[in-house]
Amino acid sequence: MQWNERRRKILAAIVDAYIETGEPVGSKFLTDKLDEEVSSATVRNEMAELAAAGYLEQPHTSAGRIPTAPAFRFYIDNLMKQDSLTDEDRENIDSTLRRLSDSPDRLMEEASRILATSTGYAAVTTTPDQRSSAIRRIELMPISSHKVAMLLVTDSGVLRNRSCRLQEEIRLEELDQVAQLIRMRFLNVPLSHVCLADIQEVLDTMGKAAERYSPVLAAFYGLVQESADSEVLLTGQLNLLQHPDYAPERAKSLLTFLAQREQLADMLQQSASSEGLRILLGSESDKQELGDSSIITTQYTTGGLARGTIGLIGPMRMDYASAIPKVEYFAKAVGRILSDMLDEDKGDEQS
Amino acid sequence: MQWNERRRKILAAIVDAYIETGEPVGSKFLTDKLDEEVSSATVRNEMAELAAAGYLEQPHTSAGRIPTAPAFRFYIDNLMKQDSLTDEDRENIDSTLRRLSDSPDRLMEEASRILATSTGYAAVTTTPDQRSSAIRRIELMPISSHKVAMLLVTDSGVLRNRSCRLQEEIRLEELDQVAQLIRMRFLNVPLSHVCLADIQEVLDTMGKAAERYSPVLAAFYGLVQESADSEVLLTGQLNLLQHPDYAPERAKSLLTFLAQREQLADMLQQSASSEGLRILLGSESDKQELGDSSIITTQYTTGGLARGTIGLIGPMRMDYASAIPKVEYFAKAVGRILSDMLDEDKGDEQS
DNA sequence: GATTAGCACTCAAACCTTCCGAGTGCTAAC
DNA sequence: GTTAGCACTCGGAAGGTTTGAGTGCTAATC
């Protein structure tokens, strides 16, 4: 099948209309909609071609046509005209995010929430990937005779704490020594480079105290892992219930699927591999549950390094024209704010 | 209307059947179900009485009867025979919870999750109320030239951290001094007793450094508030979608309602005021959205003090006989485990 | 007085049938 | 290549009928 101008216009009009109404689109409606003056019969002929090429399908003989996944793909890649955000929109997003951005985690949470409510779909974000940030500070403190609190600070300004309990009573000098050993080995080491073998190594150098203080090292390892993992955050799932596309059963299966964070993390992982905006049409993926859904994702970066994902999940007929620019702008804004946070820290760095 | 034995049995049978099937219950079905040999006509007469007294209602003339909220209330208070948990059940719950209980927050999260999946309803919990725990330790550490990390430890073993940023460069001696001042004023003070006036007081004693270090005190105050507030946790909302009682619309409005944590917190607050198990039938409350739902809550306590809430949310016709003992046992188990944690800490207390 | 058999009555839900019209595919003419 | 025209299809709405579960009432029975 050849793509001439008219054919493109017709497909664009069909997809636009279907996105708006969710109803099959008929030839009569299209003749009205198109600027070119053609009869419905001509349109029908074109539609027959498009259908033959797999871009349209009929729910039943006497109904209009519904765009298929390939049609959406073609629409997104070639036909769609993206809305552009007004300066006011940008302003709003910027100031709101900046107001709420006291920590990276908090920032992502808010960004996710706002993106979800402003689009009416569900938003996914991951917190910035911390695997390449280095350990800036490690503190051990006794908080009772057997209990130790640990505080970990990374050079991206993330703080995490954890406590652990020793079998025997803590001796202060020993604890200091342990802290010193851990620092010697791990200070300025990227989180992703901390592995169990290293931990074992440190334990080995500790001699007879090793056994007593192994819970501390276990806690340290746990804390590092926890800090390194980027968390997947999902907000606005309930927005999806608003969309008529999600009949009770579909909604249930989609929500259940989304509730399994590992699955979601997997998918985002895939998306993270490629640069820039990515749109996954559910029916193109192998996940049954994503059937009629679609996922827009993009990366946000802090100072050049790819750092995290931000995206939207909605019905396949979601309003790409307005959703895409929003996702893109949020990614930009979040990246900018995180970079600023980081720069602030960098500027403060002690020499 | 008088309550004789037969009438009670009939109402019990109706509620039982309705809980099981969700369908209106007819006289014929009941005659089969009852051990007493009576004709359907007799049962009908009884049902007419019950209906007149407001315990039953008919969806339409030619249908069976549905128990009303007062009927459920009466059933719960007088008719129901609670299931009892097997030793195996208890064993399972105990060991699973104990295995996962490294912190109070984590424990409550897991308890909530397990309660939800084991009942098929949604579970709500609050983390233990920390308002009466005292501040055991406050640490301030510089993490860059302008940034301070703060760690707060309470005597119930909760750790929280936060960082803040100063306008000017940190001077170590000053920071130590600030830490000392905060400790002097707030160490061993219950979280609920820390108020803005106290903070102001400390600032006043700081003289010219006050302005520079006010972010630290603000962070401290924020951290105390954050630690004091018990968090509301909701799990298994999606379980509710399984229940046929929640037709699309109902489900949407209920889930939306539950997503507003403040509302939920409010309701649990109410429940927390009374001792022991409490069952709120949605239609008895003023919240529209709870219409056909029902909430079972109870308190868990750690060492005598009421400390938090654990509960279940489900359709009004939920399986009280099995749900109630579960909620009660979870509350007991959680209380026990938390007490143990606390005792461990207490035993470790440094003199 | 309580219980019961019997029966007329009610009404939602299931099932048909019919009708309508949106939309198609095809053909023949332009 | 385009279009007018027309027969055809088929889902869905509208209306009618049937079915049967379940009731309420009455009169007979215990």
Side-chain angles (χ1 to χ4, degrees):
Chain A
M1 193 195 64
Q2 292 202 353
W3 283 110
N4 58 45
E5 189 56 25
R6 191 175 65 193
R7 205 161 274 175
R8 297 164 68 98
K9 274 195 186 153
I10 288 177
L11 185 57
I14 292 174
V15 177
D16 276 334
Y18 184 66
I19 283 177
E20 198 181 339
T21 67
E23 302 286 314
V25 185
S27 57
K28 180 110 165 284
F29 175 88
L30 285 173
T31 30
D32 294 352
K33 208 78 180 180
L34 290 173
D35 357 321
E36 294 184 55
E37 292 278 318
V38 283
S39 76
S40 65
T42 312
V43 174
R44 274 206 293 285
N45 288 335
E46 295 281 19
M47 284 168 82
E49 289 275 315
L50 286 166
Y55 290 101
L56 298 177
E57 61 186 14
Q58 281 179 292
H60 57 265
T61 341
S62 69
R65 299 292 169 75
I66 286 179
T68 61
F72 276 105
R73 179 84 317 141
F74 190 81
Y75 171 82
I76 291 165
D77 293 341
N78 304 301
L79 305 174
M80 173 185 58
K81 268 186 17 206
Q82 285 188 22
D83 291 358
S84 52
L85 296 180
T86 65
D87 287 348
E88 196 187 351
D89 290 342
R90 290 173 217 266
E91 202 80 23
N92 271 336
I93 295 170
D94 275 22
S95 64
T96 316
L97 285 183
R98 230 169 252 284
R99 186 149 37 80
L100 297 167
S101 64
D102 49 351
S103 83
D105 291 13
R106 182 79 196 291
L107 173 67
M108 294 319 298
E109 195 183 318
E110 285 304 329
S112 195
R113 196 180 309 281
I114 299 170
L115 180 58
T117 40
S118 91
T119 57
Y121 304 119
V124 257
T125 52
T126 61
T127 51
D129 181 347
Q130 301 290 342
R131 270 168 299 183
S132 53
S133 13
I135 296 174
R136 181 184 285 181
R137 207 165 165 149
I138 302 160
E139 294 295 332
L140 294 182
M141 284 159 279
I143 51 175
S144 69
S145 63
H146 288 70
K147 222 166 172 185
V148 177
M150 177 180 295
L151 184 72
L152 183 79
V153 185
T154 72
D155 64 0
S156 55
V158 172
L159 272 69
R160 304 254 171 191
N161 59 248
R162 183 173 286 201
S163 67
C164 63
R165 196 164 184 287
L166 303 188
Q167 287 302 318
E168 297 179 31
E169 209 163 297
I170 298 167
R171 294 181 221 162
L172 263 183
E173 329 78 67
E174 277 185 345
L175 189 65
D176 278 345
Q177 241 177 311
V178 173
Q180 215 43 55
L181 282 171
I182 298 180
R183 288 196 194 109
M184 239 157 51
R185 182 70 185 75
F186 294 112
L187 226 47
N188 297 320
V189 171
L191 292 175
S192 61
H193 288 193
V194 178
C195 62
L196 275 172
D198 297 332
I199 299 280
Q200 190 55 51
E201 221 174 84
V202 174
L203 272 173
D204 289 345
T205 61
M206 278 170 51
K208 63 184 181 354
E211 202 181 323
R212 244 177 305 142
Y213 289 91
S214 70
V216 173
L217 279 149
F220 172 71
Y221 185 69
L223 208 50
V224 168
Q225 295 313 315
E226 185 189 306
S227 312
D229 278 0
S230 67
E231 255 169 71
V232 177
L233 197 76
L234 181 67
T235 57
Q237 302 98 301
L238 293 184
N239 287 345
L240 298 178
L241 291 179
Q242 306 287 353
H243 293 273
D245 307 55
Y246 290 111
E249 269 316 303
R250 296 209 91 70
K252 200 168 89 186
S253 89
L254 178 62
L255 290 181
T256 313
F257 175 77
L258 293 178
Q260 304 167 322
R261 292 303 146 89
E262 313 83 44
Q263 299 261 23
L264 212 76
D266 260 18
M267 286 193 4
L268 295 182
Q269 199 69 30
Q270 280 174 32
S271 140
S273 57
S274 71
E275 277 281 299
L277 193 88
R278 198 159 160 272
I279 296 178
L280 177 71
L281 300 179
S283 52
E284 293 172 358
S285 86
D286 49 350
K287 319 272 186 191
Q288 190 59 48
E289 297 89 337
L290 292 178
D292 290 323
S293 300
S294 172
I295 304 180
I296 305 175
T297 51
T298 193
Q299 268 41 63
Y300 62 84
T301 61
T302 54
L305 277 160
R307 283 306 187 89
T309 304
I310 184 162
L312 272 182
I313 300 173
M316 171 126 67
R317 59 171 265 263
M318 79 164 101
D319 184 356
Y320 298 97
S322 79
I324 291 175
K326 274 185 188 153
V327 172
E328 281 181 330
Y329 190 75
F330 267 84
K332 236 186 273 175
V334 165
R336 193 152 13 92
I337 295 173
L338 282 173
S339 300
D340 288 355
M341 273 191 198
L342 218 58
D343 286 350
E344 235 170 42
D345 268 28
K346 279 267 159 53
D348 297 352
E349 201 115 26
Q350 288 175 314
S351 44
Chain B
M1 192 195 63
Q2 292 204 356
W3 283 110
N4 59 45
E5 189 55 25
R6 191 175 63 191
R7 204 160 276 178
R8 297 164 69 98
K9 273 194 185 153
I10 288 176
L11 185 57
I14 292 175
V15 177
D16 277 335
Y18 184 67
I19 284 177
E20 197 180 340
T21 67
E23 301 286 316
V25 185
S27 55
K28 182 111 165 282
F29 175 88
L30 285 171
T31 29
D32 294 353
K33 207 78 178 181
L34 290 171
D35 357 322
E36 291 184 56
E37 292 278 322
V38 282
S39 76
S40 66
T42 312
V43 175
R44 274 205 295 285
N45 288 333
E46 296 281 19
M47 285 169 84
E49 289 273 314
L50 286 166
Y55 289 101
L56 299 176
E57 61 187 13
Q58 279 177 294
H60 56 265
T61 343
S62 69
R65 300 292 169 75
I66 287 180
T68 60
F72 276 106
R73 177 90 308 147
F74 190 81
Y75 171 82
I76 291 164
D77 293 342
N78 304 300
L79 304 175
M80 172 186 59
K81 268 185 19 207
Q82 287 188 21
D83 292 358
S84 50
L85 297 178
T86 66
D87 286 348
E88 196 187 351
D89 290 341
R90 290 172 216 267
E91 203 78 26
N92 271 335
I93 295 170
D94 275 20
S95 64
T96 317
L97 286 183
R98 232 171 250 284
R99 186 150 35 81
L100 298 167
S101 65
D102 50 352
S103 82
D105 291 12
R106 181 81 195 291
L107 173 65
M108 292 320 297
E109 195 183 319
E110 285 304 330
S112 196
R113 196 180 311 280
I114 301 170
L115 180 58
T117 40
S118 89
T119 56
Y121 304 119
V124 258
T125 51
T126 62
T127 52
D129 180 349
Q130 299 290 342
R131 271 169 298 184
S132 53
S133 13
I135 297 173
R136 182 185 285 182
R137 213 171 157 142
I138 302 160
E139 294 294 331
L140 294 182
M141 283 158 280
I143 51 176
S144 71
S145 63
H146 289 70
K147 223 166 168 183
V148 177
M150 178 181 294
L151 184 72
L152 183 77
V153 185
T154 71
D155 63 0
S156 55
V158 173
L159 271 68
R160 305 254 169 187
N161 60 247
R162 179 173 289 202
S163 68
C164 62
R165 198 166 182 285
L166 303 189
Q167 287 302 320
E168 297 179 33
E169 212 163 291
I170 298 168
R171 294 181 218 159
L172 264 182
E173 329 79 67
E174 276 185 345
L175 190 65
D176 278 347
Q177 239 177 309
V178 172
Q180 214 43 57
L181 281 173
I182 298 180
R183 287 195 195 110
M184 237 157 54
R185 181 69 184 77
F186 294 112
L187 226 49
N188 297 319
V189 171
L191 292 175
S192 60
H193 286 193
V194 179
C195 62
L196 275 172
D198 298 333
I199 299 279
Q200 192 53 51
E201 220 173 86
V202 173
L203 272 173
D204 289 344
T205 62
M206 276 168 55
K208 63 185 180 358
E211 201 179 322
R212 242 175 307 142
Y213 288 91
S214 70
V216 174
L217 279 149
F220 172 71
Y221 186 68
L223 209 51
V224 168
Q225 294 313 314
E226 185 189 309
S227 313
D229 277 1
S230 67
E231 255 169 71
V232 177
L233 198 77
L234 181 67
T235 58
Q237 303 97 301
L238 292 183
N239 287 347
L240 297 179
L241 290 178
Q242 306 288 355
H243 293 272
D245 306 55
Y246 291 110
E249 271 313 304
R250 296 211 92 69
K252 202 169 86 184
S253 87
L254 178 61
L255 289 181
T256 311
F257 175 77
L258 293 178
Q260 305 167 322
R261 290 305 145 87
E262 312 84 44
Q263 299 261 24
L264 214 81
D266 260 19
M267 285 192 6
L268 295 182
Q269 200 67 31
Q270 281 175 31
S271 139
S273 58
S274 72
E275 279 280 301
L277 194 87
R278 198 157 160 272
I279 296 176
L280 176 71
L281 302 178
S283 52
E284 293 173 357
S285 87
D286 49 351
K287 319 270 187 194
Q288 191 59 47
E289 296 90 340
L290 293 177
D292 289 323
S293 301
S294 171
I295 305 179
I296 306 176
T297 52
T298 192
Q299 266 44 62
Y300 63 84
T301 60
T302 54
L305 277 161
R307 283 306 187 89
T309 305
I310 184 162
L312 272 181
I313 300 175
M316 172 124 71
R317 57 171 264 262
M318 77 164 100
D319 186 355
Y320 297 97
S322 80
I324 290 175
K326 275 185 188 153
V327 172
E328 280 181 331
Y329 190 74
F330 267 83
K332 234 187 273 176
V334 165
R336 191 149 18 90
I337 294 172
L338 282 174
S339 300
D340 289 356
M341 275 192 196
L342 218 60
D343 285 351
E344 237 171 39
D345 267 29
K346 278 269 159 52
D348 296 353
E349 200 115 27
Q350 288 176 315
S351 45

